[in-house]
Amino acid sequence: EAGVVQSPRYKIIEKKQPVAFWCNPISGHNTLYWYRQNLGQGPELLIRYENEEAVDDSQLPKDRFSAERLKGVDSTLKIQPAELGDSAVYLCASSPHLAGAEQFFGPGTRLTVL
Amino acid sequence: QKEVEQNSGPLSVPEGAIASLNCTYSDRVSQSFFWYRQYSGKSPELIMSIYSNGDKEDGRFTAQLNKASQYVSLLIRDSQPSDSATYLCAVNLGAQKLVFGQGTRLTINP
C-alpha cells in the first residue's frame, strides 16, 4: 500500500514569493491534515479536512495561508506571500475516519524562505 | 501549561539498556495516545498506540498509560544504536485533534 505522497520535497524561495505544496493521502483515508514543524519542535496542526470539508482551520494563518481539497482526495497548501518565519517542514498526514485513528505522515516539504 | 509535555533531552542510554521516555498531558478526556519516532531529516513514523490504562507491548517497545496521573511513557528494551532518534508523544484531544509534544531526543551509545 502506498503511503502519503508529498511534493516537492524541498523548496527555496525569496520572501514575498508564493509557494504551494501538494499532498496525496493514503487511499481510502478520508481525513487529511497539514502540519508545520519547526526545528526542535513537534508538528503543529494547520488544518484538518474530512473529505473535502475543512473542519478545523483554527490554527491556519488565513491572511497568507490557504488550502483546498476539492475532490476529497489530494490537497494543496499555499502561502502567499511567504515570510522568513515560514521556513519550516510542512507535513501532510492522513487517517481513516475513525475516532482516535492513527495518523500516517508523508515525507514532508522542507521550505526555506530567504 | 502546554497540552502535551515531554523532556526535550537529550537522553543518552548505553546500548543494551532500557530507555524510558515520558510524557504528560493536560486534558483529562483524552482517549488515545501515540508514540512517533522521527529520525533526523525524516517525517514522524508511528511506532505505538495505546488507548486504555496499563501496558501495551510490541517487540522491544512497551507503552504505558496512566489516565489518572495523565501520564504516558515508552520503554525501549535492549536499546540499539538504530533507536537513536527523536520520540514524539501525541495525544488525541477529541475530534481527531492530535497534539504533539516537542519530542525527546534519544541517543543510544554503543
Side-chain angles (χ1 to χ4, degrees):
Chain A
E1 179 183 271
V4 178
V5 179
Q6 289 187 250
S7 68
R9 293 294 310 280
Y10 304 91
K11 190 73 175 179
I12 300 174
I13 60 172
E14 294 190 346
K15 62 181 180 182
K16 300 185 181 180
Q17 293 301 305
V19 65
F21 315 122
W22 177 81
C23 171
N24 188 265
I26 293 172
S27 178
H29 282 192
N30 304 96
T31 309
L32 183 147
Y33 311 78
W34 283 102
Y35 288 89
R36 176 170 58 190
Q37 186 174 25
N38 292 306
L39 191 64
Q41 301 296 316
E44 295 178 321
L45 180 70
L46 292 172
I47 190 168
R48 174 169 68 92
Y49 280 95
E50 294 289 347
N51 299 305
E52 65 274 11
E53 182 182 359
V55 296
D56 184 356
D57 63 356
S58 57
Q59 301 302 312
L60 189 72
K62 297 181 181 65
D63 57 335
R64 297 184 300 107
F65 285 66
S66 64
E68 60 183 16
R69 193 185 185 199
L70 294 175
K71 295 183 179 180
V73 180
D74 57 350
S75 175
T76 302
L77 177 69
K78 299 178 181 178
I79 308 175
Q80 182 171 10
E83 296 179 352
L84 295 176
D86 296 331
S87 295
V89 176
Y90 290 82
L91 295 162
C92 179
S94 70
S95 70
H97 182 61
L98 296 168
E102 300 158 337
Q103 296 182 22
F104 299 91
F105 284 85
T109 297
R110 183 176 297 275
L111 174 66
T112 301
V113 182
L114 303 176
Chain B
Q1 181 186 8
K2 291 183 179 179
E3 293 173 297
V4 180
E5 294 202 56
Q6 297 180 253
N7 187 322
S8 62
L11 175 65
S12 186
V13 173
E15 183 176 357
I18 296 175
S20 177
L21 304 161
N22 305 315
C23 173
T24 58
Y25 60 95
S26 60
D27 190 339
R28 288 188 172 275
V29 301
S30 299
Q31 294 297 320
S32 49
F33 308 84
F34 307 92
W35 283 98
Y36 286 82
R37 177 177 61 200
Q38 187 171 27
Y39 292 114
S40 181
K42 302 294 185 183
S43 61
E45 173 194 10
L46 180 68
I47 55 172
M48 288 288 284
S49 57
I50 186 166
Y51 302 93
S52 54
N53 279 327
D55 295 359
K56 179 182 178 182
E57 186 175 318
D58 184 0
R60 296 186 296 111
F61 298 96
T62 299
Q64 299 176 319
L65 175 61
N66 184 324
K67 291 186 179 180
S69 300
Q70 296 174 240
Y71 177 94
V72 57
S73 65
L74 179 70
L75 301 178
I76 306 175
R77 290 183 300 280
D78 188 22
S79 297
Q80 302 297 309
S82 60
D83 295 326
S84 297
T86 295
Y87 288 81
L88 296 162
C89 171
V91 177
N92 194 316
L93 298 185
Q96 296 181 274
K97 180 178 180 180
L98 206 59
V99 178
F100 287 81
Q102 68 181 62
T104 298
R105 188 156 55 94
L106 173 66
T107 300
I108 306 300
N109 300 308

